[in-house]
Amino acid sequence: MNPIEYIGTGSASSHPWFGRHRLTPVASADTIREMLRAELRDTGWPYQPVLPAAPIALPRASYAELFRLTAALLDLVRRAALESADTTAGRLAAYQMPPSEHQLFTADQFTEERYADWVARPDIVIGPDGPQFLEFNVSAAIGGPVETRCRLEVWRKLYADEDGRVPFSSADPFAVRAEMFRTLSAELGVAPRVAIAGSVRDQGVESTRYFDVEAEYFNNIGLTARFFEPEDLHEAWDCPPHLRYPLGLRNFTIPDWIELGIDTAPVQAALDHGCLLVDTQTSTFLSSKLTMGLLSEGRPWMSAAERALVAAHLPWTRILTDRRTTWGDRDVELVPFSVGNRESLVLKNSLGMSGEQVVIGNQASQPEWEAAVTQAAQAGTSIVQAFVEPRTCRLAMIADDADEPHDADVAPVFGPLLFGGRPAGLFSRFYSDGTSGIVSVIRSSADNCVVAI
């Protein structure tokens, strides 16, 4: 049986970018459901009552385009963030970073800047004119690598023929991350020993499986790795030289640890004793949505081609302050313009995560919107961004206790994983009923990996 099905354009709201084919389910609903849940067991991943019955499948050209655009735009994001000031202190001031972010920097400025963007995942939707980048997540604490790997493992098992061949292609997040660390090891001239720094308290479970699945993969291919809770991180450096871990994955965020009451001092000690954790703290400037505002408005060093790339794939974005700017061919007063164009704008705080501190104008009342815009303009640490109505693709889904899959037209948020500049798999999040808005796994959305056919 050929698992690739021709579906045409899918639905009235879909887009040719998604192609005309999809992968159909190749096992019973019970089998798919059990395999998907078994792979992500004990990781803290939220329970999802509706699961995908097949991977999202894109044409090879569309799949490749997401990574090509991500690499090009990430380079511009990096340049814009580093150009904002000559030093870390200057950037902290320019971005008005909260005191919580004034820590965990390495002593060497070059190291900070060199290894600030080795793990990245933008959020992309498909708008009327193709891929639109809503934000850049530049941090080793991004969601997606473990989840994409686990979903991919299920689909590989289900779709493989007797010779192990599958009718799709996808990079493996763990394999690419391992190569990233081998590259770092060679570049720095250190042993390929990797400390995975995180906490099960951050995952909301007692099991360490979320971190162990990656560490076990590394160890199985000859790359020594170990998961460390912060209280144990001293063991990565306070030991004989041949047992030290000179490299590491910084799989946590400062705000999350502050909320959980987890001390970051052991991380600073590890950094001070030569353990390089990627991404470095400088990544916080790249992740800040203010950087997207800088790029959208244009920087003096940008070429005509770079300006065209940004115009085509970044929605109009402005740092919200009381000033004049442009909207198309018009000069506008930014705050009054933002207040008066609620239906077509989104308000975002510079450092919000998981959809927090985001106000979608067409989902708020006018008084709520005006109050939020006015307050944000006074602080100067938010952006307004043009709202993008996402297009949909058709996907087979399985509801709890259902005997058969059902079709749904979903509006995915794509998250291309880029490790050390290399494509590392494609994560996606969406609502199973096809609605759009703030899509986050903590808001009862579904997820899937995306493959190329």
Side-chain angles (χ1 to χ4, degrees), residues 36 39-40 43-46 48 121 141-155 173-174 177 203 210 213-214 251 417 426-429 441 447-450:
L36 287 173
E39 280 293 330
L40 278 170
T43 63
W45 201 238
Q48 298 174 8
R121 191 212 74 209
I142 55 172
V146 173
E147 298 78 12
T148 298
R149 160 75 182 193
C150 289
R151 299 297 192 214
L152 189 59
E153 280 291 282
V154 171
W155 305 135
F174 287 1
R177 187 118 82 183
Q203 304 306 119
Y210 181 86
V213 289
E214 187 164 12
N251 206 332
L417 302 169
L426 184 50
F427 183 53
S428 66
R429 311 186 309 281
V441 293
D447 74 279
N448 203 354
C449 75
V450 185

Side-chain angles (χ1 to χ4, degrees), residues 98-349:
S100 61
E101 298 297 320
H102 293 228
Q103 59 174 310
L104 303 189
F105 290 95
T106 60
D108 180 65
Q109 187 79 41
F110 176 78
T111 298
E112 270 295 325
E113 296 180 8
R114 170 68 176 157
Y115 303 109
D117 63 345
W118 282 56
V119 180
R121 191 212 74 209
D123 286 345
I124 306 169
V125 298
I126 306 306
D129 299 318
Q132 294 291 301
F133 285 65
L134 304 184
E135 65 179 75
F136 275 85
N137 304 284
V138 188
S139 163
I142 55 172
V146 173
E147 298 78 12
T148 298
R149 160 75 182 193
C150 289
R151 299 297 192 214
L152 189 59
E153 280 291 282
V154 171
W155 305 135
R156 282 173 172 165
K157 292 173 184 176
L158 289 175
Y159 286 88
D161 63 17
E162 59 185 11
D163 296 317
R165 296 172 300 190
V166 293
F168 57 78
S169 61
S170 170
D172 185 318
F174 287 1
V176 179
R177 187 118 82 183
E179 283 306 306
M180 179 191 81
F181 278 117
R182 291 192 192 281
T183 299
L184 284 171
S185 171
E187 180 171 308
L188 295 169
V190 298
R193 296 173 59 83
V194 179
I196 299 177
S199 177
V200 296
R201 287 161 284 180
D202 209 355
Q203 304 306 119
V205 292
E206 295 183 2
S207 169
T208 61
R209 188 169 186 274
Y210 181 86
F211 305 100
D212 290 343
V213 289
E214 187 164 12
E216 289 171 4
Y217 177 89
F218 290 170
N219 285 311
N220 287 337
I221 62 169
L223 184 68
T224 302
R226 177 186 160 187
F227 164 60
F228 291 88
E229 286 279 353
E231 293 82 3
D232 303 323
L233 196 52
H234 64 93
E235 297 175 14
W237 56 268
D238 189 12
C239 57
H242 70 285
L243 297 178
R244 292 173 186 165
Y245 290 80
L247 301 172
L249 191 70
R250 182 174 148 168
N251 206 332
F252 67 91
T253 69
I254 293 174
D256 283 342
W257 276 19
I258 288 176
E259 184 177 343
L260 293 167
I262 300 175
D263 188 6
T264 59
V267 179
Q268 187 66 65
L271 294 171
D272 293 343
H273 286 86
C275 181
L276 173 64
L277 298 176
V278 293
D279 287 339
T280 58
Q281 177 65 12
T282 294
S283 64
T284 193
F285 305 118
L286 282 64
S287 287
S288 171
K289 298 174 185 66
L290 302 186
T291 304
M292 290 190 67
L294 295 174
L295 279 182
S296 178
E297 200 151 7
R299 309 307 295 157
W301 45 262
M302 291 171 65
S303 69
E306 290 166 341
R307 291 176 186 274
L309 177 71
V310 167
H313 297 290
L314 259 63
W316 177 93
T317 305
R318 293 294 185 269
I319 299 173
L320 183 58
T321 57
D322 187 10
R323 63 190 177 93
R324 294 189 66 81
T325 188
T326 57
W327 169 269
D329 296 331
R330 296 166 49 195
D331 286 334
V332 298
E333 291 287 349
L334 184 54
V335 175
F337 172 82
S338 299
V339 169
N341 288 271
R342 172 178 59 85
E343 293 285 339
S344 59
L345 296 175
V346 179
L347 176 67
K348 300 179 179 181
N349 185 271

Side-chain angles (χ1 to χ4, degrees), residues 345-428:
L345 296 175
V346 179
L347 176 67
K348 300 179 179 181
N349 185 271
S350 61
L351 293 180
M353 297 184 301
S354 302
E356 297 175 359
Q357 297 174 300
V358 174
V359 182
I360 299 177
N362 61 29
Q363 296 180 6
S365 68
Q366 184 61 33
E368 291 171 338
W369 174 255
E370 184 169 351
V373 167
T374 301
Q375 182 178 6
Q378 293 172 349
T381 55
S382 294
I383 61 167
V384 281
Q385 187 175 77
F387 175 75
V388 179
E389 185 67 49
R391 298 307 191 249
T392 64
C393 64
R394 182 158 295 175
L395 181 65
M397 304 289 294
I398 301 173
D400 269 359
D401 303 322
D403 295 327
E404 299 290 339
H406 67 275
D407 282 348
D409 290 320
V410 300
V413 176
F414 291 118
L417 302 169
L418 209 66
F419 300 158
R422 294 181 55 201
L426 184 50
F427 183 53
S428 66

